[in-house]
Amino acid sequence: MAGSEHPNTGPAGDNAGPHRLTRSTLVIALGFTVVLCLMVIMIALGLNRMAQVHDRLELIVHEHNVKTELLGNMRHAARERSVTLLRLAISTDPFDIDAGAMEFRGLASDFMVNRQQLESMPLSAREQTLLAESRDLTARAVEVQERVLTKILDGNPEGAHDWLLDQAIPMQNDVLAHLDRMLELQQEAGVAAANETARQYHQAILLMLALGGAALFGGAGIATGVMRHTANIERALFREKERAQVTLHAIGDAVITTDTAGHVDYLNPVAEHLTGWTQEDARGRALHEVFRIVREGSGESLSHPLVDAVPDGTASSLDQDAILVSRDGRESAIEEVSAPIRDRDATTIGAALVFRDVSKAREMARELSWAATHDCLTSLVNRGEFERRLEQLVTTTRQEGRHHAMLYLDLDQFKLVNDTCGHGAGDELLCQLTARLQAQLRENDTLARLGGDEFGVLLEGCPLERAEQIAESLRAAVSDHRFEWNGNAFAVGVSIGAVPIAGSSKDAAQFMSEADAACYLAKEQGRNRIHASRRGDAAVSHHQGEMNYVQRISHALESDHFWLYGQAIVPLDRSLPTHTEVLLRMVEEDGSIVAPNHFIPAAERYGMMPAIDRWVIARVLRHLAQQGDDVTGQYAINLSGQSLCDRQMLDYIVDQFETSGIPPQRICFEITETAAIGNLRQASRFVYVLREMGCCFSLDDFGTGMASFGYLQSLQVDYLKIDGSFVRDMLEDPVSHAMVESVHHIGHVMGIATVAECVSHESLLQPLREIGIDYVQGFGLHLPEPLEPCPVSTTECATGTQ
């Protein structure tokens, strides 16, 4: 009974096990199959995500490419600036120089645009350091280049060429070398980015293969890992996308991206502000609808290259000055650059347009340009612009035979207004007179402020006779004006020099010099009048000659081209020593000798005598130091009236004695009667201090000036030099003889030795000896001869005895 219970239990159980096993196997197999399928899918998704990472890394490489391109543009602009300066330095065409100057400054703008774009990009610490160093090098190079350009524009091509070769080009080469180092850094960065891309790509492949192999043993775990890794990648890419969007939103430049068909994809907030379009409204629209530009000034519509086709090359920009017109009609001056956007296969997938509002910068540039050519007080053109326009008129005179005229105006009594009421009153007077002068001129005439209270007028197509009429109307306009300031009324005048601009033998500088000379003569003739310079005007030529001597004197001082001569002062008593009067000659570059009566008047008129006297004093003391005890007697040095009034001259002479070691007793200073009496107080102190040191003093040309014998007690001189006009005629003229005799008598009563000048022949010696004269001097006794070798080595110098 027991054995017969539940007969199907065993088989039934045996059959159920295989079925459960089969189901479990099917379930496991199905599970593994599902897991494997999922893993394959996950791996595929992971590989796809890694490919996206690879694309992102390639975008980083593209960023390095953009930097390389900007650096290349900067290098090209820097190099072209040096080339342009070199071309300008050898050019003689003023129009070519003007065009070159504009090209030069345009290249500077290109350089700045590229550098600013580079600075706006993410930069490593090394890149920032190199860029800062490059900025410093560029600043120094630009300063030298601007000096070279200034010399070119000032008409000094030789000086500009020397500066260019010696300083500008070497500095620019330093800038280029620095940019090359930055380019090398970009190349290294590009190679590093490419290597990093390959490394991460291979790592991704190995990771996916590992996940695939691990899927055979732990599919579910691998699938989870793949999904987790994929999620991490997605989060990283999302963060990268967020950073990119934040960056585009935060930068100060406007950015618009388009697809290959020229339709807008994206606008950052700055672009939305400048264009007046929101991103939602602009997306999908044609670029020309959103980015509407016109030419500055004319308003002519401009077409951006991106409107027609996405460029295949590198970054490009508009050549014209563009104005962006927003959706609501606002206008903004912009600078822009566009470049294609490429994927990792270098296929163009769109374009990026980057632009910025340069309205303020362009306005500032216009203001700077205006300020460079205008006077800020009167708003008239300044001297530089006036000279440039004068050169243009001179050119038309040469090429077309046209006749023009120039006026040079110098206000009379303007200093009185400044000294009485201050510079504010002077400025107001200048502005008022500017308006009155402008009202008298024609529309195409140029009125300029040349500096201080001087004005210039260019009269285009105007003969000299008509120019004189205009000059008279200007003079009357100034003379009739009554200027009031704080209850004080002033009347000023104007001296005007008028010159014709005709012929082809003169340049602009010569016309300016002639007009200045004519104005000076108008002042000399009584002020508030006009002097018109015509062909053969002796007075103007004389004044210009003096101005020419001023430059020659300056050159002689700088180059030591003065030459010391000496003439003996002979004692009539043989027991006394012979003295020497120091004379001066100027030697030209060709060795020709210029007598003092030619250059001394110009030196006196333009205040150059103190400098000449300093040169002579230092040179004589040096000569005495070199000669030692070989020379005897005193050396007489002439001092001008200007030197007597120079408060630093006395200190200079004392310092020279201390430096040279020459005893002051060896030197006698000659001062003229007129200069001494005209500056009696200063001359008395001058004489007292140096006589206390041991120097002697001689009063020259005595008897011709305004002195009385009473002044001799105040001056305390050692010698009286009787003027040669009396000595020369004393044999024939009893009055001259009496004058010589009286001067000598008074001198001896006061203990002053006497010297007779201009003793032209020995027949004068006996009457002079009978009177009791102490010393005689003149060509009849000794011709002046050099005290030192000629400063210029020529045959003429070696034989000249002027």
Side-chain angles (χ1 to χ4, degrees):
M1 295 285 298
S4 61
E5 282 184 58
H6 310 292
N8 298 323
T9 299
D14 291 340
N15 291 334
H19 285 296
R20 285 193 298 270
L21 182 58
T22 300
R23 285 194 299 271
S24 298
T25 302
L26 291 175
V27 170
I28 293 172
L30 180 60
F32 270 100
T33 300
V34 171
V35 169
L36 287 174
C37 291
L38 290 175
M39 287 303 302
V40 170
I41 295 173
M42 290 299 111
I43 291 172
L45 290 175
L47 289 173
N48 181 60
R49 296 301 184 189
M50 293 309 296
Q52 293 178 12
V53 171
H54 180 68
D55 289 344
R56 174 56 191 163
L57 290 173
E58 281 199 344
L59 287 178
I60 295 174
V61 174
H62 172 70
E63 180 178 274
H64 286 289
N65 290 339
V66 172
K67 292 179 182 178
T68 301
E69 180 182 339
L70 293 176
L71 288 169
N73 292 343
M74 290 167 63
R75 191 184 190 284
H76 173 76
R79 183 180 62 81
E80 286 301 308
R81 278 167 63 87
S82 293
V83 173
T84 301
L85 281 179
L86 186 59
R87 190 181 76 244
L88 292 179
I90 61 175
S91 175
T92 58
D93 186 352
F95 297 101
D96 184 42
I97 291 176
D98 287 343
M102 293 178 63
E103 180 183 354
F104 176 82
R105 293 192 169 92
L107 290 169
S109 177
D110 294 342
F111 185 95
M112 291 298 298
V113 167
N114 284 276
R115 189 174 73 186
Q116 289 169 356
Q117 291 177 8
L118 183 63
E119 290 174 342
S120 68
M121 299 183 69
L123 300 174
S124 66
R126 177 60 177 161
E127 288 174 330
Q128 291 175 353
T129 300
L130 287 175
L131 191 57
E133 294 173 354
S134 173
R135 188 183 299 109
D136 294 338
L137 288 174
T138 302
R140 292 195 294 271
V142 167
E143 180 181 358
V144 174
Q145 289 175 338
E146 287 295 336
R147 290 184 182 175
V148 172
L149 182 60
T150 300
K151 288 181 179 290
I152 293 172
L153 295 179
D154 287 345
N156 185 10
E158 293 81 7
H161 189 268
D162 293 341
W163 269 70
L164 183 63
L165 294 180
D166 296 341
Q167 297 190 46
I169 289 181
M171 284 187 176
Q172 194 62 54
N173 287 339
D174 292 340
V175 173
L176 294 176
H178 217 76
L179 292 175
D180 288 339
R181 289 198 293 274
M182 294 182 70
L183 285 169
E184 291 172 0
L185 182 63
Q186 292 303 316
Q187 292 176 353
E188 294 171 1
V191 171
N195 292 336
E196 179 64 16
T197 300
R199 187 183 66 79
Q200 291 195 12
Y201 180 80
H202 290 306
Q203 285 181 349
I205 295 298
L206 292 175
L207 179 60
M208 293 301 103
L209 290 176
L211 289 174
L216 297 176
F217 305 100
I222 295 175
T224 302
V226 170
M227 292 178 65
R228 185 176 300 156
H229 188 68
T230 301
N232 291 336
I233 292 175
E234 288 178 344
R235 283 192 296 270
L237 291 176
F238 179 77
R239 287 193 299 269
E240 186 66 26
K241 178 181 178 181
E242 285 295 308
R243 280 195 295 269
Q245 289 179 341
V246 169
T247 299
L248 288 175
H249 278 64
I251 63 175
D253 290 345
V255 180
I256 297 177
T257 62
T258 67
D259 58 20
T260 54
H263 296 116
V264 175
D265 280 338
Y266 170 80
L267 283 80
N268 73 345
V270 179
E272 289 181 331
H273 171 71
L274 292 179
T275 62
W277 289 80
T278 64
Q279 182 170 339
E280 290 73 16
D281 293 340
R283 184 179 289 114
R285 292 182 178 273
L287 179 63
H288 67 84
E289 293 184 54
V290 178
F291 188 73
R292 186 161 65 92
I293 50 177
V294 298
R295 192 187 306 276
E296 186 175 17
S298 65
E300 174 189 354
S301 179
L302 296 176
S303 177
H304 195 279
L306 288 181
V307 172
D308 300 321
V310 174
D312 293 330
T314 58
S316 60
S317 61
L318 290 170
D319 294 332
Q320 306 95 338
D321 291 334
I323 297 294
L324 174 66
V325 181
S326 69
R327 189 177 188 181
D328 55 6
R330 288 181 293 108
E331 294 185 353
S332 304
I334 62 166
E335 289 178 351
E336 60 79 39
V337 62
S338 59
I341 300 174
R342 297 185 177 92
D343 62 13
R344 62 180 179 178
D345 298 323
T347 301
T348 301
I349 59 175
L353 175 64
V354 181
F355 55 98
R356 66 176 59 191
D357 184 358
V358 295
S359 299
K360 292 183 179 179
R362 200 168 290 177
E363 179 64 26
M364 185 179 297
R366 282 193 290 266
E367 291 177 358
L368 290 174
S369 177
W370 184 90
T373 57
H374 289 76
D375 173 57
C376 60
L377 175 63
T378 61
S379 297
L380 299 176
V381 298
N382 59 19
R383 189 183 192 94
E385 177 66 11
F386 181 83
E387 291 176 347
R388 188 188 68 81
R389 296 186 186 185
L390 174 59
E391 289 176 354
Q392 290 180 340
L393 292 187
V394 173
T395 300
T396 62
T397 297
R398 293 173 179 169
Q399 297 177 350
E400 305 172 12
R402 300 183 63 190
H403 290 255
H404 316 289
M406 182 176 70
L407 306 179
Y408 199 106
L409 291 72
D410 191 346
L411 298 180
D412 303 322
Q413 305 303 324
F414 176 77
K415 187 175 184 296
L416 177 63
V417 177
N418 261 349
D419 294 345
T420 304
C421 301
H423 291 285
D427 291 345
E428 176 61 25
L429 175 58
L430 289 176
C431 293
Q432 292 182 15
L433 291 180
T434 295
R436 293 183 68 87
L437 292 173
Q438 195 79 63
Q440 306 301 317
L441 299 175
R442 304 170 301 175
E443 184 175 353
N444 62 336
D445 294 336
T446 296
L447 174 63
R449 184 185 179 199
L450 303 181
D453 58 350
E454 297 177 346
F455 295 84
V457 179
L458 293 178
L459 303 172
E460 187 174 352
C462 180
L464 184 59
E465 292 73 16
R466 174 58 180 149
E468 289 183 84
Q469 296 173 3
I470 295 175
E472 175 57 30
S473 68
L474 295 175
R475 188 202 63 78
V478 174
S479 298
D480 294 342
H481 182 61
R482 293 296 176 269
F483 177 67
E484 294 187 0
W485 186 269
N486 293 336
N488 297 318
F490 298 89
V492 296
V494 61
S495 299
I496 303 177
V499 297
I501 303 175
S504 58
S505 60
K506 298 179 182 177
D507 58 20
Q510 289 172 313
F511 283 117
M512 283 287 289
S513 175
E514 184 178 350
D516 185 20
C519 180
Y520 179 86
L521 291 173
K523 278 192 176 294
E524 273 201 337
Q525 293 163 3
R527 301 178 182 269
N528 196 32
R529 62 190 63 226
I530 301 164
H531 184 95
S533 175
R534 290 179 168 80
R535 185 185 298 274
D537 192 324
V540 171
S541 298
H542 176 74
H543 181 72
Q544 287 183 293
E546 285 192 339
M547 292 297 294
N548 181 42
Y549 268 117
V550 169
Q551 298 176 355
R552 293 158 68 182
I553 291 170
S554 297
H555 176 73
L557 288 170
E558 293 172 359
S559 307
D560 280 340
H561 278 192
F562 283 115
W563 195 5
L564 294 182
Y565 271 57
Q567 185 179 36
I569 303 175
V570 181
L572 290 178
D573 182 352
R574 300 292 184 180
S575 64
L576 298 175
T578 298
H579 303 311
T580 302
E581 180 178 0
V582 177
L583 306 175
L584 191 64
R585 305 290 186 263
M586 187 168 69
V587 184
E588 303 284 21
E589 291 289 349
D590 61 357
S592 59
I593 301 173
V594 182
N597 60 306
H598 292 295
F599 64 84
I600 291 297
E604 290 176 337
R605 182 185 294 273
Y606 294 101
M608 303 184 73
M609 283 307 302
I612 294 177
D613 288 345
R614 279 179 166 85
W615 188 94
V616 172
I617 292 167
R619 196 65 166 226
V620 170
L621 294 179
R622 190 180 77 173
H623 171 72
L624 290 174
Q626 292 172 346
Q627 297 299 316
D629 297 332
D630 294 340
V631 293
T632 59
Q634 292 179 327
Y635 274 64
I637 300 175
N638 290 276
L639 283 181
S640 66
Q642 295 175 7
S643 293
L644 285 177
C645 296
D646 185 349
R647 296 186 180 275
Q648 285 76 42
M649 180 61 75
L650 183 58
D651 294 336
Y652 175 81
I653 294 174
V654 173
D655 181 68
Q656 286 296 310
F657 277 124
E658 293 176 351
T659 303
S660 66
I662 299 299
Q665 292 79 7
R666 298 293 309 277
I667 299 298
C668 176
F669 290 107
E670 289 193 8
I671 56 178
T672 65
E673 174 190 346
T674 303
I677 304 307
N679 307 279
L680 185 59
R681 183 176 180 181
Q682 179 72 10
S684 298
R685 178 178 179 272
F686 199 95
V687 171
Y688 174 78
V689 172
L690 292 180
R691 286 188 86 245
E692 286 293 309
M693 292 180 62
C695 295
C696 291
F697 274 84
S698 175
L699 195 59
D700 199 9
D701 298 335
F702 191 79
T704 60
M706 57 186 172
S708 70
F709 290 110
Y711 284 120
L712 295 178
Q713 290 180 325
S714 299
L715 290 173
Q716 297 181 351
V717 297
D718 301 279
Y719 300 94
L720 283 181
K721 299 190 76 172
I722 305 171
D723 186 71
S725 62
F726 301 118
V727 177
R728 191 184 302 114
D729 300 331
M730 62 180 294
L731 292 179
E732 294 81 16
D733 182 9
V735 175
S736 296
H737 187 283
M739 189 69 182
V740 173
E741 190 172 19
S742 64
V743 170
H744 169 74
H745 178 69
I746 294 298
H748 268 217
V749 169
M750 299 180 67
I752 303 174
T754 54
V755 181
E757 296 184 294
C758 297
V759 179
S760 57
H761 48 85
E762 293 186 356
S763 61
L764 289 170
L765 294 179
Q766 185 56 36
L768 291 172
R769 187 176 286 111
E770 292 173 355
I771 292 173
I773 296 297
D774 299 294
Y775 292 89
V776 289
Q777 177 183 0
F779 284 179
L781 303 174
H782 179 248
L783 291 176
E785 59 183 348
L787 295 177
E788 58 183 355
C790 178
V792 178
S793 299
T794 66
T795 303
E796 185 172 351
C797 266
T799 59
T801 58
Q802 298 185 39

